[in-house]
Amino acid sequence: GESVGLHLPTLSVQEGDNSIINCAYSNSASDYFIWYKQESGKGPQFIIDIRSNMDKRQGQRVTVLLNKTVKHLSLQIAATQPGDSAVYFCAENIAGGSYIPTFGRGTSLIVHP
Amino acid sequence: DAGVTQSPTHLIKTRGQQVTLRCSPKSGHDTVSWYQQALGQGPQFIFQYYEEEERQRGNFPDRFSGHQYPNYSSELNVNALLLGDSALYLCASSPDRGGEQYFGPGTRLTVT
């Protein structure tokens, strides 16, 4: 089975709210994690990444949190906008290997104006 | 600067046929990876090409093969198509095997 999975398949929020998308992973050898955004008709787009020696990383309106103890990471989007509506994937990369991300199933984020 | 481009956009094939999908990497990138994305699922890694050689391969049968040309462009070939091969096929390029991957828009393959 897949080693990366998501807790919620669909998340609906109101414009301006903060969104939190969760992801669980099972491979303790993973040391690099990436969040991707995939809009309809497009390929996945890199949002933010985090290495296992960190527990938090911030970008523009996005924050990724990593909890290695429970093998969980989350993506927080501040002041969610309609343009944030997309499917979000977390992906993991195993230490020592080439950069080949293993994707989970994805969470569909729907932002209501 | 063009990003990753793929052709064709859509393709319809019949079971048993063969298909070739094409990918041009982002300028400056020499590594190309191919993924299969079934509807409602995350992309699944097929294989990666670097210096015209297959360097890593995911859990896909030998019906899936590829090629990389000296200009770094790549092809994905699938033989003896099955209904289950219907999916979005994504190409991603990176500046080297350890770099961030940039994805193309994909080719939607439908097998009837």
Side-chain angles (χ1 to χ4, degrees):
Chain A
E2 295 176 345
S3 64
V4 176
L6 297 174
H7 295 305
L8 296 173
T10 303
L11 177 64
S12 292
V13 301
Q14 291 295 128
E15 181 178 0
D17 288 351
N18 295 333
S19 303
I20 299 176
I21 301 172
N22 296 303
C23 177
Y25 66 96
S26 58
N27 195 330
S28 58
S30 296
D31 72 338
Y32 178 56
F33 305 88
I34 314 102
W35 280 100
Y36 289 92
K37 172 186 181 183
Q38 187 173 24
E39 298 175 272
S40 180
K42 297 182 179 180
Q45 178 186 6
F46 174 94
I47 300 173
I48 191 169
D49 60 359
I50 188 168
R51 296 203 174 272
S52 59
N53 61 351
M54 302 171 68
D55 54 17
K56 180 179 180 179
R57 190 168 187 213
Q58 289 184 290
Q60 186 177 11
R61 285 201 304 118
V62 295
T63 301
V64 56
L65 300 178
L66 175 63
N67 185 331
K68 296 180 287 295
T69 302
V70 295
K71 298 190 181 68
H72 179 272
L73 69 159
S74 65
L75 177 69
Q76 301 178 1
I77 304 174
T80 314
Q81 303 168 359
D84 294 327
S85 294
V87 177
Y88 289 80
F89 294 96
C90 65
E92 62 179 323
N93 195 68
I94 297 173
S98 298
Y99 176 54
I100 306 291
T102 299
F103 288 80
R105 185 178 176 186
T107 292
S108 176
L109 176 65
I110 300 172
V111 182
H112 300 283
Chain B
D1 174 35
V4 179
T5 60
Q6 294 185 241
S7 63
T9 306
H10 297 87
L11 201 54
I12 300 175
K13 289 287 189 178
T14 304
R15 273 183 303 175
Q17 287 188 315
Q18 179 265 344
V19 67
T20 297
L21 309 182
R22 295 177 174 83
C23 171
S24 291
K26 182 177 171 64
S27 178
H29 289 186
D30 60 6
T31 301
V32 173
S33 301
W34 286 92
Y35 294 81
Q36 180 194 67
Q37 186 176 22
L39 198 61
Q41 303 293 322
Q44 299 297 307
F45 174 70
I46 302 175
F47 42 54
Q48 182 182 80
Y49 275 84
Y50 174 70
E51 293 188 341
E52 302 179 52
E53 292 186 358
E54 181 184 296
R55 285 306 179 100
Q56 277 193 257
R57 188 179 183 91
N59 188 25
F60 279 80
D62 292 344
R63 299 187 296 110
F64 290 77
S65 63
H67 188 79
Q68 184 178 36
Y69 295 93
N71 66 353
Y72 308 122
S73 67
S74 178
E75 291 179 350
L76 165 65
N77 301 293
V78 187
N79 295 321
L81 284 167
L82 304 174
L83 295 179
D85 295 331
S86 295
L88 180 68
Y89 288 85
L90 294 162
C91 171
S93 71
S94 56
D96 55 51
R97 286 184 295 159
E100 175 190 331
Q101 294 191 338
Y102 291 76
F103 284 83
T107 294
R108 173 70 63 186
L109 173 65
T110 301
V111 182
T112 62

